[in-house]
């Protein structure tokens, strides 16, 4: 690397008392979600992340059929199995994953109360919910007791092509809920290699992101770095969670954060990318089941 890396900034997570590294390690690639990853590469990337100051790691039995952790059944059994695989007595944050694929009323009336019992038992410290549609967060948070949900994890809604999470931040802050934003690269859209074939974005959105990436490359810039720094710039977001599957990716993401702290954003490059993506700004895709 061109210069010594700064220590990663730690940011408070809502009212939890936790301070997360501004860059979080998304472990879905370790479950071969985006392509095959060797065990040696997976282990090396996690070790390097620890070495460089990343203290937030997100994993799930959903990623690669337990590969990422090392299906999902009833709450208590699932937690116990996860703790056994992770060789832990408790986890700091347990998140209800992609809740839009189930009944939100069941999340409110059954899942969150069940998780609160596990919290009382000392198996989890804090409770979170995750998903793509932003309206799921207000639906649940308006219906559970204050403090019942500590954290939300939103993905693909705070990146150069879609920043709609920003409008929800004052509401989340008023609820005392910590915010984690995942997929700053929009699940591969904002990369030189482009997204995987299964990516649900429209052809129009994929084409615009491809054009933006090509323009950055022409100018000797890396669109992933620009996107990562864009997402890291909002201090109301506690951690930007990005998938990593190699030592190189870990170093690149930590370098992006270090350079942002030292030099700020590359505003000229960012402005050009934003102009290319303007016709598709805030375009998303459906996720989950119809909620009655």
């Amino acid at each position: 690397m061109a210069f010594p890396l700064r220590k990663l900034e730690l940011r408070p997570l809502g009212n939890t008392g936790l301070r997360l590294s501004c860059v979080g390690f998304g472990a879905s690639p370790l479950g071969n979600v985006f392509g095959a990853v060797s065990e040696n590469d997976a282990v090396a990337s996690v070790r390097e992340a620890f070495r460089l100051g990343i203290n937030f790691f997100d994993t799930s039995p959903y990623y690669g059929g337990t590969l990422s952790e090392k299906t999902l059944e009833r709450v208590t059994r699932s937690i116990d199995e996860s703790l056994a695989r992770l060789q832990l007595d408790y986890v700091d944050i347990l998140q209800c994953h992609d809740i839009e694929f189930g009944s939100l009323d069941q999340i409110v009336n059954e899942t969150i109360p069940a998780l609160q019992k596990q919290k009382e038992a000392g198996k989890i410290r804090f409770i979170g919910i995750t998903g793509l549609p932003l309206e799921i967060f207000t639906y649940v948070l308006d219906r559970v007791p204050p403090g019942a949900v500590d954290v939300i994890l939103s993905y693909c809604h705070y990146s150069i092509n879609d920043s709609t999470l920003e409008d929800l931040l004052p509401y989340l802050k008023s609820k005392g809920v910590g915010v984690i934003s995942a997929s700053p690269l929009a699940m591969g859209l904002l990369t030189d290699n482009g997204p995987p074939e299964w990516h649900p974005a429209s052809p129009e959105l994929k084409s615009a992101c491809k054009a933006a990436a090509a323009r950055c490359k022409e100018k000797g810039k890396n669109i992933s770095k620009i996107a990562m720094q864009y997402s890291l710039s909002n201090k109301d977001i506690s951690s930007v969670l990005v998938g990593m599957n190699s030592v190189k990716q870990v170093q690149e993401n930590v370098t992006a954060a270090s350079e942002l702290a030292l030099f700020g954003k590359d505003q000229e490059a960012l402005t050009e990318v934003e102009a290319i993506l303007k016709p598709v700004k805030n375009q998303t895709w459906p996720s989950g089941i119809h909620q009655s």
Side-chain angles (χ1 to χ4, degrees):
M1 296 183 191
F3 60 92
L5 292 177
R6 291 168 62 98
K7 189 172 183 180
L8 277 176
E9 177 189 4
L10 299 179
R11 299 178 182 176
L13 181 67
N15 293 335
T16 65
L18 297 178
R19 292 173 63 82
L20 302 188
S21 53
C22 61
V23 176
F25 188 108
S28 63
L30 305 189
N32 297 332
V33 172
F34 293 93
V37 179
S38 73
E39 183 177 351
N40 285 343
D41 284 346
V43 171
S45 62
V46 172
R47 287 178 189 245
E48 183 69 355
F50 271 118
R51 188 183 74 82
L52 294 179
I54 293 176
N55 71 357
F56 174 51
F57 293 78
D58 173 79
T59 188
S60 166
Y62 179 78
Y63 301 150
T66 75
L67 271 178
S68 172
E69 243 192 6
K70 209 216 163 118
T71 209
L72 294 174
E73 301 173 16
R74 296 307 249 182
V75 170
T76 302
R77 183 174 178 184
S78 181
I79 292 171
D80 287 341
E81 289 176 349
S82 293
L83 290 174
R85 280 190 293 270
L86 293 166
Q87 299 182 51
L88 296 172
D89 296 322
Y90 69 91
V91 291
D92 287 310
I93 307 167
L94 191 134
Q95 315 234 43
C96 305
H97 189 72
D98 287 349
I99 62 173
E100 70 267 28
F101 286 94
S103 163
L104 295 184
D105 288 325
Q106 188 174 28
I107 295 292
V108 170
N109 297 318
E110 299 178 28
T111 308
I112 299 299
L115 290 178
Q116 286 178 313
K117 289 182 180 178
Q118 297 303 305
K119 191 175 183 179
E120 292 165 5
K123 294 181 180 180
I124 60 180
R125 294 181 65 195
F126 303 107
I127 296 168
I129 52 177
T130 87
L132 180 70
L134 293 174
E135 60 269 20
I136 63 175
F137 300 122
T138 52
Y139 187 96
V140 171
L141 291 171
D142 284 343
R143 288 166 174 78
V144 296
V149 173
D150 305 289
V151 183
I152 69 102
L153 186 154
S154 168
Y155 71 97
C156 289
H157 285 307
Y158 201 87
S159 52
I160 303 174
N161 61 294
D162 184 336
S163 57
T164 47
L165 176 62
E166 190 166 22
D167 294 335
L168 195 61
L169 292 177
Y171 166 86
L172 295 169
K173 195 170 188 177
S174 74
K175 294 284 188 179
V177 173
V179 180
I180 298 162
S181 179
S183 299
L185 312 185
M187 299 197 309
L189 287 173
L190 302 176
T191 64
D192 285 337
N193 293 333
E197 287 186 16
W198 52 259
H199 199 292
S202 71
E204 182 188 18
L205 178 53
K206 289 179 180 178
S207 177
C209 291
K210 184 177 181 179
R215 181 60 178 154
C216 288
K217 199 167 187 178
E218 285 173 13
K219 302 194 77 173
K221 308 285 185 178
N222 183 286
I223 193 169
S224 297
K225 180 178 175 181
I226 295 167
M228 188 70 185
Q229 291 182 337
Y230 174 90
S231 297
L232 285 166
S233 295
N234 193 321
K235 298 297 185 74
D236 288 330
I237 293 171
S238 300
S239 189
V240 174
L241 187 66
V242 59
M244 306 185 224
N245 63 14
S246 68
V247 168
K248 181 174 181 285
Q249 286 185 355
V250 173
Q251 292 174 343
E252 287 173 346
N253 288 317
V254 173
T255 298
S258 297
E259 290 186 2
L260 177 67
L262 284 171
F263 311 120
K265 290 181 287 190
D266 185 340
Q267 193 58 53
E268 181 182 350
L270 176 59
T271 299
E272 193 162 1
V273 170
E274 287 179 320
I276 295 171
L277 297 179
K278 187 175 181 180
V280 294
K281 179 72 172 179
N282 294 337
Q283 186 182 116
T284 187
W285 47 86
S287 178
I289 62 173
H290 175 71
Q291 301 289 337
S292 57

